[in-house]
Amino acid sequence: MLLRALRRRWRSYRYRFVPWLALNLRRQRRTLRYVPESSQDKVIADEDVFETLLKTFKALFINDFSRQADILALLPEVKCRYLELLTVEQKRLKVNSCNHQGQHMFSPEEVLFNTLGFAVSRDRSSLVSGGTGVFVTKGFVPKGTVVSMYPGTVYRKHEPIFFQSLGNPFIFRCIDGVLIDGNDKGLSRSVYRSCSRRDQLGPFQMSDESWLTATLQNPLAVGQYVNNCSHEKTANVCYQEFDVPGHFPVELKQYLPNIVYSHDIESHLRCVVLVTLRDIKQGEELFSNYYTVVS
């Protein structure tokens, strides 16, 4: 039993173990995504990623409009714009409501489907030892679409992550050495919540904490549970790094499932999205590569 548990732990950890990567690089060639240069690590343009997140977050904001009063009171011009968008959305969905207090509320998954034409969620993986996986539960996802996000605390190279990394299979390494801890339990969970609440400005939340729970506010924030591909289950999505621009709407930052560890660093927030490599149908599980080789 102990040997079996150690074997399972090794399967989840080995993709982040440098000696194993070096020894198996040639043998595992089919499961690797090669990127000649960092600048070429883009399946789709950053502008497309930005527009997808903006479109989705606006839809989530409008769906939850009645709870945004404190934010909108400080942003009168933004409030007028969203009231117009809300009216258009109500007409599109044929929701007859005279005021936003009585507006029909959709679940975040329904909002995602109504906005992008698909929904994703966590469920038991189709892999025997895969644990939790991520599936397209509704709709159709075209090739080149942002299908999920990798949530977590963002660490620069020099920042302490040793204790958080112990026994943690959810640490994602970016090309430039930036790390994202996507673990929703233990010390990692506490660190994320602490940083998130540290950065809150009055009613403005700078990040989303709901991915730490079973009730997601941003239904895309499930990327840390996407399983690694194999020869039987080829990759249908890949990771793409995205720096959130400074002009990202402040009222929509409440849906960003990432937060920086150090408060005093002035730089763009690093996010990682998962982009589809082919068309994906309803019922399919998402599979990616746990590592990228940059030559």
Side-chain angles (χ1 to χ4, degrees), residues 154-172:
V154 180
Y155 293 83
R156 269 61 182 186
K157 295 178 183 179
H158 64 281
E159 294 174 337
I161 193 175
F162 176 76
F163 290 107
Q164 297 92 310
S165 69
L166 296 176
N168 184 355
F170 293 106
I171 295 179
F172 181 93

Side-chain angles (χ1 to χ4, degrees), residues 52-179:
T52 297
L53 297 185
L54 200 63
K55 183 178 181 181
T56 304
F57 293 177
K58 279 183 177 180
L60 291 169
F61 188 91
I62 291 170
N63 185 65
D64 202 21
F65 198 80
S66 60
R67 293 181 54 204
Q68 309 294 342
D70 291 342
I71 291 176
L72 295 173
L74 299 174
L75 302 171
E77 293 182 2
V78 172
K79 180 177 181 179
C80 294
R81 193 159 63 242
Y82 278 107
L83 282 171
E84 293 175 1
L85 290 173
L86 176 61
T87 302
V88 172
E89 186 69 6
Q90 287 176 338
K91 288 180 179 179
R92 186 178 75 84
L93 297 172
K94 297 181 180 179
V95 177
N96 298 317
S97 174
C98 296
N99 58 67
H100 27 271
Q101 295 295 330
Q103 80 174 101
H104 177 72
M105 292 286 293
F106 293 95
S107 70
E109 290 76 17
E110 289 174 323
V111 173
L112 183 62
F113 176 74
N114 292 336
T115 306
L116 299 183
F118 66 86
V120 292
S121 67
R122 298 170 290 192
D123 204 345
R124 185 174 182 81
S125 176
S126 58
L127 298 176
V128 176
S129 59
T132 301
V134 178
F135 293 80
V136 175
T137 53
K138 191 176 181 181
F140 170 81
V141 191
K143 178 182 177 181
T145 300
V146 174
V147 72
S148 64
M149 303 180 70
Y150 199 102
T153 306
V154 180
Y155 293 83
R156 269 61 182 186
K157 295 178 183 179
H158 64 281
E159 294 174 337
I161 193 175
F162 176 76
F163 290 107
Q164 297 92 310
S165 69
L166 296 176
N168 184 355
F170 293 106
I171 295 179
F172 181 93
R173 185 185 186 279
C174 297
I175 289 173
D176 59 0
V178 168
L179 301 175

Side-chain angles (χ1 to χ4, degrees), residues 192 206-211 217-218 221 253-257:
Y192 184 92
M206 297 295 104
S207 63
D208 172 27
E209 290 184 31
S210 70
W211 68 272
Q217 179 175 268
N218 172 7
K253 289 185 177 181
Q254 61 182 292
Y255 302 108
L256 289 170

